């Protein structure tokens, strides 16, 4: 069979018949495309080069110290753990809320006015800059009745900065992404799948739990990975709400709760603080941390591509088989 | 390995001499109707003046495949100005694919491959600049595809974008009007030339696409089921147009409507599963087909 | 499980299940609805809260809040340390707003043009091999945290630009500002580099979704590839270009950290009258200002001022999402999803 496959003929295309404006535009188009490639390559290669230059394996397992001298400021273990905890906690708070909202919007959505309001609300959060979320969170968590989430000083003043507080505000960043992805997934399920489930005597609630939820799991995963990437990359909420202490500093006395209500830092805030913009000038450490951060984002991005790539080919015919 | 090579290319090439008669160029009108079987009754084939036929295009041993899967297997055909060529055949037999290859539109499908030669006025189309080629060979698609702009802009599109200079609206207006009149659409859209073309009905959209192709004054016109969504009245307008145009433009029309093929075509090519089964003057194909598959297909239509 | 075996204990269980059914459904709807309302309440609460906190600053300054009522750096210092018992609210954010408009506006306008061309290249003109690596690379770049762009800016680009500025030029404005590599042009450039991948990905997606019938129909009329792209595909994808620009504007407005790192860090309104020096003048956009004074949030007057800035950002973001919604409508008409 393969022997018979005919060759593809080459296209004869000549620009001489084109208008000069078209030729100019095409040249610009190539220039932009090549500039994009060059920019992409130089950013990624430069970060890769610096990362490999400054990232030594022991940095990953050593705790940082407050020294100004780059050779003595220790590793980046705490920021890595901070990023991991914040990412996991933030999405863990966001996912249940977001999935509920998405299912309610798609499957119920009554009364219509309320649904529109919820939709717009989610849209507003999606557009809210994280710095606004950060200072909003600080004021809220400094209310006396939320003092148990962080640390209350002698005089009754609430610190307002803690891992759990930062995670709660971070969940607002992930929420719209998970809602969006889940809604898209639900909308992609053809109506006859639901009808088939009802025809088998299943209730709407059972249909949602046994049919729809399993089906949108890839979409939820996509939204979650996107949300994790955004959380891992956010700096504003960390430096304002996480306390931005170099080390993870749990509150004393309580094993797990102490960690949650304690303070810490993440890779992003570590990069910021070690750049000339922050206090330290430990740019070698900043590059190393930025490289690790880039790897985290790369992995999450790859996860999204895998989930989306895997399902978009199968999703269309999944139900029509 | 040679023995494993599937035969279609060579086989068709071999018996093409037999089936594809060097079509009569001067007596394309009404050949002998003598042995006409009874099934021809009820068919009206209007008398029309003969026009001189000039061969404009020729496909030689055309093989087209999608991702290695052949869709057209070795077709050779002449296309003449002055004689309308109709392509008939069951769904999926490669009519559209063949038509699209004539102005190298198949090159826009990444998986499509082509072998064999296509000549336009004796020149290989692969040697021609592709946009110039498509200016000379225009195509109307099976699905109406008006652009998301106004009726006027749709018809003026080719005139505006083809040339080196953009003509002004004043210059364009008479040409647009003429194209719309020829496609039998002008009376309906006279008042709303500025309305979005996507709001027209399906049949109107189809005629708009014909007008759009006509406006650029091509030398060869490829029509892929141009009347599939039209009422009998509009169909008649289009058919008259085709018959009238054949003098100045070489026309190929794909149709599932055999009566239509009978009415407008001077030559008919019958395709089946990618093979060109039979090619000849209309009356021969409809009244005295040499191949039994043609007889079955054509007979079913008039039975 | 139990309902599938109706023989033994079927009857009572089935009856029970039937009793439960409507209730489970109702309960599901109620629970899901309640969660949605809770989320909505949080969001509405946030908006209301930010505005109520910002109110003292707004009501004290009136429309002057948006105007130029003096040196913003000095005003903010006085808000922070009034030296009197009474809190000071005097504030006019013009310099900050101008800095925001300048950086965001230039970055988005340049970015939109660049991204459109780059997306056309990616979809139509790039060689197949390049196309295959470009698409994932662009989506990776769109996800790179802004602090990394800031780091490259402050460590690599700012020193480089700083060295290009002549000593004479620095001395000519020494009394007012110091010209360093950190200036609004560099900030805008990095902002553009940051938002271009986002916009390119959106536009390329829309270009790919243009119905083939339209592009092939145009090609069949003998129109060259560029004009097909420009007159059919880009025209159809125009709403996506605007939607991408709107999204990018939102990102640029809200970008705080990167801009705090590379914009020069002082409230100053670059003045086009200054000629070439204009491009090298420092600025500090609204969001970056919040980062700068974040330690001052304990001071009620400073907090109110910063919440005022946050409220302006919030309103801009809402206006943008309304704009995006309006713009998306024509896309739906053509059956194209953004
Ligand atoms: N883009 C494509 N990719 C792969 N295969 C294709 C493509 N287009 C057409 N084919 C295949 O090529 C064969 C011929 O298709 P073509 O569209 O030419 O048929 P047709 O004769 O025009 O049919 P119809 O009368 O229904 O329009 C079919 O088997 C079809 O499945
Ligand atoms: Mg067809």
């Amino acid at each position: 069979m393969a022997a018979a496959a005919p060759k593809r003929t080459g296209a004869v295309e000549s620009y001489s018949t084109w208008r000069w404006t078209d030729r100019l535009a095409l040249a610009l188009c190539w220039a932009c495309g090549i500039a994009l490639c060059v920019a992409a390559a130089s950013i990624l290669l430069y970060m890769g080069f610096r990362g490999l230059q400054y990232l030594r394996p022991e940095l990953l397992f050593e705790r940082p110290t407050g020294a100004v001298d780059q050779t003595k400021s220790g590793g980046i273990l705490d920021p890595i753990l901070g990023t991991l905890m914040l990412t996991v906690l933030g999405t863990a708070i966001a996912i249940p809320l977001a999935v509920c909202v998405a299912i309610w919007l798609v499957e119920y959505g009554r009364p219509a006015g309320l649904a529109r309001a919820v939709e717009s609300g989610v849209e507003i959060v999606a557009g809210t800059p994280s710095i606004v979320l950060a200072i909003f969170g600080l004021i809220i968590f400094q209310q006396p009745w939320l003092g148990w989430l962080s640390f209350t000083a002698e005089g009754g003043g609430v610190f307002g900065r803690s891992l759990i507080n930062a995670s709660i505000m971070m969940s607002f960043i992930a929420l719209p992404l998970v809602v969006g992805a889940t809604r898209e997934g639900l909308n992609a399920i053809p109506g006859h799948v639901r009808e088939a489930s009802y025809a088998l005597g299943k209730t709407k609630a059972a249909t949602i739990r046994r049919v729809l939820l399993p089906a949108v799991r890839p979409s939820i995963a996509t939204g979650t990975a996107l949300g994790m990437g955004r959380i891992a990359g956010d700096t504003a909420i960390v430096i304002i709400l996480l306390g931005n202490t170099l080390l993870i500093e749990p509150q004393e006395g309580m094993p797990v709760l102490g960690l949650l209500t304690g303070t810490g830092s993440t890779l992003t805030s570590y990069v910021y603080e070690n750049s000339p913009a922050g206090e330290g000038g430990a740019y070698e450490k900043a590059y190393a941390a930025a490289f690790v951060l880039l790897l985290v984002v790369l992995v999450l991005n790859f996860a999204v591509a895998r989930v989306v790539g895997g399902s978009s080919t199968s999703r269309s015919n999944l139900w029509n088989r | 390995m040679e023995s494993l090579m599937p035969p279609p290319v060579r086989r068709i090439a071999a018996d093409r001499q037999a089936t594809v008669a060097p079509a009569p160029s001067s007596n394309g009108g009404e050949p002998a109707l003598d042995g006409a079987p009874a099934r021809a009754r009820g068919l009206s084939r209007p008398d029309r003046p003969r026009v001189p036929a000039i061969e404009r295009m020729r496909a030689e041993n055309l093989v087209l495949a999608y991702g290695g899967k052949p869709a057209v297997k070795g077709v050779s055909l002449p296309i003449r100005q002055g004689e309308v060529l109709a392509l008939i055949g069951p769904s999926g037999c490669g009519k559209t694919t063949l038509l699209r290859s004539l102005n190298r539109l198949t090159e826009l499908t990444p998986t499509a491959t082509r072998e064999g030669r296509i000549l336009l006025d004796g020149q290989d189309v692969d040697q021609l600049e592709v946009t110039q080629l498509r200016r000379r060979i225009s195509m109307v698609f099976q699905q109406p595809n008006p652009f998301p702009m106004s009726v006027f802009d749709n018809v003026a599109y080719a005139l505006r974008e083809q040339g080196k200079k953009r003509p002004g609206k004043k210059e364009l207006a008479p040409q647009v009007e003429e194209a719309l009149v020829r496609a039998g659409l002008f009376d309906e859209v006279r008042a709303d030339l500025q309305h979005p073309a996507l709001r027209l009905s399906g049949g109107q959209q189809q005629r708009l696409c014909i007008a759009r192709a006509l406006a650029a004054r091509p030398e060869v016109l490829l029509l892929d089921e141009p009347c599939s969504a039209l009422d009998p009245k509009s169909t008649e307008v289009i058919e008259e147009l085709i018959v009238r145009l054949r003098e100045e433009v070489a026309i190929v029309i794909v149709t599932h409507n055999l009566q239509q093929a009978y009415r407008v075509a001077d030559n008919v090519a019958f395709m089946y599963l990618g093979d060109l089964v039979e090619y000849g003057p209309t009356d021969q194909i409809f009244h005295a087909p040499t191949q039994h598959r043609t007889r079955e297909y054509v007979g079913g239509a008039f039975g | 499980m139990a309902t599938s075996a109706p023989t033994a204990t079927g009857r009572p269980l089935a009856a029970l299940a039937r009793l439960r059914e409507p209730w489970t459904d109702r309960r599901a709807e109620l629970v899901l609805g309640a969660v949605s309302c809770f989320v909505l309440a949080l969001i509405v609460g946030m908006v209301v809260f930010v505005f109520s906190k910002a109110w003292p600053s707004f009501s004290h300054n009136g429309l002057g809040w948006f105007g130029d009522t003096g040196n913003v750096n000095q005003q903010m210092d006085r808000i922070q340390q009034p030296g009197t018992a009474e809190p000071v609210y005097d504030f006019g954010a013009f310099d900050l707003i101008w800095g925001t408009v300048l950086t965001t506006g230039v970055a988005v306008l340049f970015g939109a043009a660049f991204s459109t061309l780059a997306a056309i290249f990616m979809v139509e003109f790039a060689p197949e091999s390049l196309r295959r690596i470009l698409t994932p690379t662009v989506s990776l770049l769109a996800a790179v945290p802004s602090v990394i762009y800031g780091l490259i800016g402050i460590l690599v680009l700012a020193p480089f630009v700083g060295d290009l500025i002549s000593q004479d030029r620095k001395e000519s404005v020494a009394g007012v500002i110091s010209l360093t590599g950190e200036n609004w042009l560099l900030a805008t450039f990095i902002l553009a580099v940051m938002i271009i991948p986002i916009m390119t990905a959106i536009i390329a997606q829309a270009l790919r979704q243009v119905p083939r019938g339209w592009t092939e129909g145009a090609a069949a009329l003998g129109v060259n590839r560029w004009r097909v792209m420009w007159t059919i595909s880009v025209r159809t994808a125009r709403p996506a270009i605007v939607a991408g620009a709107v999204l990018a504007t939102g990102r640029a407005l809200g970008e705080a950290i990167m801009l705090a790192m590379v914009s020069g860090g002082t409230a100053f309104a670059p003045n086009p009258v200054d000629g070439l020096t204009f491009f090298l003048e420092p600025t500090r956009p609204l969001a970056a200002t919040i980062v700068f004074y974040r330690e001052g949030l304990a001071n009620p007057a400073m907090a109110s001022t910063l919440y005022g800035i946050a409220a302006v950002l919030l309103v801009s973001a809402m206006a943008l999402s309304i704009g995006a919604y309006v713009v998306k409508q024509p896309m739906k008409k053509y059956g194209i999803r953004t």
Side-chain angles (χ1 to χ4, degrees):
Chain A
M1 203 68 233
K7 291 185 306 291
R8 205 173 164 204
T9 52
V12 178
E13 200 171 13
S14 145
Y15 302 118
S16 60
T17 57
W18 290 26
R19 293 175 201 169
W20 69 269
T21 47
D22 291 3
R23 277 185 269 173
L24 181 70
L26 185 67
L28 268 177
C29 179
W30 271 87
C32 287
I34 288 167
L36 183 68
C37 298
V38 169
S42 45
I43 291 170
L44 298 178
L45 292 180
Y46 184 79
M47 286 313 295
F49 170 70
R50 287 294 182 203
L52 295 178
Q53 185 182 5
Y54 296 127
L55 182 67
R56 278 163 289 112
E58 62 266 26
L59 284 187
L60 296 176
F61 306 107
E62 269 172 34
R63 304 194 69 180
T65 56
V68 181
D69 185 353
Q70 289 195 54
T71 54
K72 299 201 184 81
S73 59
I76 52 172
L77 178 64
D78 286 50
I80 292 177
L81 290 179
T83 294
L84 287 182
M85 288 193 299
L86 202 57
T87 315
V88 171
L89 272 176
T91 39
I93 297 168
I95 291 171
L97 294 176
V99 172
C100 286
V101 170
I103 291 179
W104 183 75
L105 280 175
V106 176
E107 301 299 320
Y108 296 95
R110 288 173 312 202
L114 187 63
R116 281 298 291 273
V118 171
E119 243 181 306
S120 319
V122 173
E123 194 82 348
I124 287 173
V125 186
T128 305
S130 68
I131 186 80
V132 175
L133 288 176
I135 62 171
F136 162 71
L138 188 63
I139 280 250
I140 291 295
F141 294 125
Q142 281 181 339
Q143 305 296 314
W145 53 278
L146 285 174
W148 55 276
L149 284 174
S150 57
F151 143 87
T152 311
E154 293 286 305
V158 175
F159 189 48
R161 300 168 172 93
S162 72
L163 179 63
I164 187 71
N165 288 354
S167 303
I168 290 172
M169 288 330 284
M170 283 292 192
S171 73
F172 276 85
I173 292 183
L175 183 93
L177 294 166
V178 184
V179 171
T182 311
R183 283 182 68 182
E184 208 156 276
L186 284 171
N187 283 326
I189 301 175
H192 66 78
V193 173
R194 295 178 180 81
E195 278 149 29
S197 172
Y198 299 148
L200 289 175
K202 284 194 178 165
T203 61
K204 191 160 187 163
T207 305
I208 288 170
R209 250 188 53 185
R210 304 250 177 254
V211 180
L212 301 185
L213 263 185
V216 292
R217 215 173 284 153
S219 306
I220 298 175
T222 308
T224 305
L226 285 173
M228 283 180 148
R230 288 284 285 279
I231 293 178
D234 195 87
T235 320
I237 291 180
V238 178
I239 63 173
I240 288 178
L241 270 181
L242 195 54
N244 204 16
T245 51
L246 196 53
L247 296 172
I248 293 173
E249 287 174 7
Q251 287 220 51
E252 279 155 38
M254 301 162 283
V256 177
L257 216 58
L259 194 64
L260 290 181
T261 57
T263 59
S265 62
T266 66
L267 287 168
T268 51
S269 70
Y270 185 85
V271 171
Y272 177 70
E273 292 299 349
N274 281 301
S275 78
E279 284 132 24
Y283 65 91
E284 292 181 8
K285 295 291 166 57
Y287 275 126
F291 180 66
V292 175
L293 183 59
L294 202 58
L295 288 184
V296 171
V297 172
L298 189 74
V299 167
L300 288 172
N301 209 50
F302 185 69
V304 174
R306 275 294 293 274
V307 176
V308 172
S311 67
S312 67
T313 45
S314 60
R315 194 189 288 161
S316 52
N317 50 29
L318 188 62
W319 303 105
N320 302 323
R321 222 174 261 150
Chain B
M1 280 290 100
E2 271 301 293
S3 59
L4 279 179
M5 193 148 119
V9 184
R10 274 184 279 163
R11 200 195 62 221
I12 298 291
D15 63 27
R16 169 168 51 93
Q17 313 307 343
T19 51
V20 181
S25 51
S26 51
N27 61 341
E30 304 280 309
L33 248 175
D34 27 56
R39 68 170 84 100
R41 265 181 274 124
L43 270 179
S44 72
R45 187 168 157 76
D47 252 333
R48 57 194 189 207
R50 278 182 208 149
V51 295
I54 318 157
E55 180 173 309
R56 297 302 304 273
M57 289 190 82
R58 173 172 278 280
E60 286 178 3
N61 262 329
L62 211 51
V63 180
L64 293 149
Y66 292 104
K69 201 171 140 276
V72 171
K73 309 168 186 168
V75 169
S76 299
L77 274 175
I79 294 162
R80 297 195 187 84
Q81 186 173 322
E83 293 178 354
V84 175
L85 169 67
L87 287 178
I88 59 170
S91 187
C93 68
K95 304 182 294 295
T96 301
T97 308
L98 173 61
L99 211 58
R100 282 164 57 90
S101 74
L102 292 178
N103 65 353
R104 291 174 56 190
L105 269 183
T106 36
E107 282 167 18
L108 298 182
T109 311
T111 56
T113 50
R114 196 193 90 203
E115 216 170 58
R117 292 211 305 165
I118 300 169
L119 302 174
L120 174 63
D121 291 338
Q123 243 186 323
D124 194 324
V125 293
D126 289 337
Q127 305 303 318
L128 292 168
E129 208 274 325
V130 68
T131 55
Q132 300 293 340
L133 171 77
R134 290 180 189 147
R135 269 169 222 191
R136 296 171 64 186
I137 310 178
S138 213
M139 174 157 177
V140 174
F141 289 69
Q142 193 162 5
Q143 270 90 29
N145 56 351
F147 303 139
M149 36 180 108
S150 74
V151 173
F152 184 92
D153 290 343
N154 258 283
V155 181
Y157 182 80
L159 298 170
R160 274 188 182 143
E161 306 299 345
Q162 276 185 356
K164 282 216 159 193
K165 267 209 338 248
R166 253 177 106 87
K169 204 155 189 170
K170 277 230 175 67
E171 242 172 285
L172 289 171
Q175 300 182 56
V176 168
E177 181 179 332
E178 193 203 329
L180 285 169
V181 169
R182 285 172 126 189
L185 186 62
F186 187 64
D187 291 337
E188 287 159 67
V189 297
R190 188 199 303 269
D192 33 38
L193 282 177
Q194 297 310 326
H195 283 209
L198 287 171
R199 294 228 195 102
L200 296 180
S201 78
Q204 287 172 328
Q205 290 187 5
Q206 212 160 37
R207 280 175 287 158
L208 180 70
C209 292
I210 296 174
R212 192 172 69 186
L214 285 177
R217 304 211 163 264
E219 297 166 28
V220 181
L221 189 58
L222 311 173
L223 301 166
D224 198 351
E225 295 193 44
C227 302
S228 59
L230 295 190
D231 62 307
K233 186 81 193 63
S234 319
T235 304
E236 208 184 309
V237 173
I238 298 297
E239 286 179 5
E240 273 168 19
L241 173 77
I242 292 170
V243 170
R244 206 157 11 94
L245 273 179
R246 81 198 148 125
E247 199 171 344
E248 39 187 301
V249 181
I251 295 175
V252 185
I253 174 171
V254 169
T255 178
H256 280 296
N257 180 339
L258 295 178
Q259 278 94 339
Q260 183 176 50
Y262 190 72
R263 284 194 298 267
V264 302
D266 301 287
N267 296 306
V268 175
F270 170 62
M271 291 182 67
Y272 187 79
L273 293 180
D275 288 313
L276 176 62
V277 175
E278 190 163 359
Y279 166 80
T282 306
D283 287 295
Q284 182 199 318
I285 297 290
F286 283 108
H287 300 312
T290 58
Q291 305 286 314
H292 77 276
R293 277 187 301 203
T294 318
R295 203 171 302 130
E296 271 168 23
Y297 187 74
V298 181
F302 299 116
Chain C
M1 303 298 135
T3 42
S4 65
T7 37
T9 52
R11 259 166 203 286
L13 266 181
L16 218 141
R18 223 176 294 129
L19 251 178
R20 275 170 51 105
E21 268 166 26
W23 195 71
T24 333
D25 260 5
R26 260 187 68 75
R27 189 174 63 175
E29 177 165 9
L30 281 178
V31 168
L32 292 174
V35 170
S36 302
C37 290
F38 169 69
V39 171
L40 180 63
L42 281 181
I43 296 160
V44 172
M46 175 180 81
V47 175
V48 171
F49 208 86
V50 167
F51 273 92
S52 70
K53 279 285 170 189
W55 183 246
S57 181
F58 281 140
S59 67
H60 177 85
N61 292 292
L63 277 181
W65 198 97
F66 300 94
D68 187 1
T69 55
N71 185 320
V72 185
N73 291 313
Q74 289 168 10
Q75 283 177 339
M76 295 201 81
D77 286 347
R78 214 166 321 117
I79 292 169
Q80 182 69 22
Q81 273 159 349
T84 58
E86 284 292 297
V88 175
Y89 284 102
D90 295 337
F91 182 66
F94 177 79
D95 289 1
L96 310 178
I97 294 173
W98 171 237
T100 308
V101 171
L102 194 62
T103 49
T104 305
V106 174
V108 169
L109 286 182
F110 172 75
F114 187 99
S115 306
T116 308
L117 290 171
I120 295 175
F121 176 77
M122 232 167 90
V123 171
E124 179 69 27
F125 293 101
E128 184 60 35
S129 51
L130 190 57
R131 195 178 311 187
R132 216 170 298 136
I133 50 169
L134 209 48
T135 311
T137 309
V138 165
S139 74
L140 172 65
L141 280 188
V144 170
S146 59
V147 71
I148 292 184
Y149 288 112
L151 185 71
I152 296 179
I154 201 168
L155 282 180
V156 183
L157 299 178
F160 176 73
V161 175
D163 288 344
L164 291 181
I165 306 172
S166 70
Q167 206 57 41
D168 291 350
R169 194 179 289 283
K170 282 181 184 166
E171 273 159 20
S172 70
V173 290
V176 195
I177 40 169
S178 60
L179 297 184
T180 63
E182 294 159 28
N183 50 49
W184 79 264
L185 194 63
L186 179 67
T188 305
F189 174 74
I190 299 177
L191 204 51
V193 171
M194 209 180 97
I195 59 179
I196 279 172
I198 302 172
M199 291 173 73
T200 305
I202 292 177
I203 297 170
Q205 174 82 355
L207 288 179
R208 285 194 201 99
Q209 284 175 342
V210 172
R212 289 196 67 86
W214 291 350
T215 50
E216 287 186 353
L221 292 172
V223 173
N224 68 46
R225 282 208 285 165
W226 171 263
R227 292 219 73 81
V228 172
M229 266 335 257
W230 192 250
T231 56
I232 303 289
S233 302
V234 173
R235 200 188 147 95
T236 311
R238 229 166 15 189
I241 296 173
V242 180
V246 165
L247 186 73
T249 313
R251 282 286 178 84
L253 274 181
E255 183 50 52
I257 298 298
M258 188 277 283
L259 288 176
M261 287 166 92
V262 299
S263 68
T266 176
F268 181 81
N271 192 344
V273 177
D274 298 346
L276 208 55
T277 309
F278 162 64
F279 295 105
L280 303 168
E281 285 169 349
T283 187
R284 194 181 60 216
L286 288 167
T289 302
I290 303 180
V291 177
F292 253 75
Y293 291 95
R294 62 184 188 273
E295 305 297 342
L297 278 166
N299 174 340
M302 182 54 107
S304 180
T305 309
L306 295 185
Y307 278 102
I309 294 175
V312 171
L313 290 175
L314 205 51
V315 168
S316 318
M318 281 193 236
L320 279 172
S321 70
I322 292 172
Y325 176 79
V326 172
V327 156
K328 268 182 200 158
Q329 296 313 300
M331 280 308 248
K332 286 193 184 136
K333 196 172 77 190
Y334 298 137
I336 297 165
R337 290 189 306 152
T338 31

